Amino acid sequence: MRWSCSSQLPVNHWHEYLGEPTVADAVLDRLLQSAHRLDLKGDSLRRHSDARKTPKLDPS
């Protein structure tokens, strides 16, 4: 079985985000037991492309 999971939250912040260390450990154990991790660095390309495509709304 193959599946993928992506997150903008780095793995080392999951314990703080989930708030419960036991739950965070259980989730990370299951997700990362045989995972191939890709930690991406740099600016988001989505932010650059969204800024050009998003129409400006008139607040009035």
Side-chain angles (χ1 to χ4, degrees), residues 21 37 49-50:
R37 287 183 50 195
S49 64
D50 281 351

Side-chain angles (χ1 to χ4, degrees), residues 15-53:
H15 283 83
E16 180 183 340
Y17 179 78
L18 293 174
E20 179 62 44
T22 306
V23 172
D25 283 340
V27 169
L28 290 171
D29 282 347
R30 283 156 185 81
L31 287 177
L32 301 177
Q33 67 184 355
S34 61
H36 297 279
R37 287 183 50 195
L38 300 173
D39 293 323
L40 304 177
K41 295 178 171 55
D43 291 338
S44 170
L45 295 177
R46 183 183 308 153
R47 286 189 197 143
H48 296 295
S49 64
D50 281 351
R52 286 182 271 151
K53 293 179 186 174

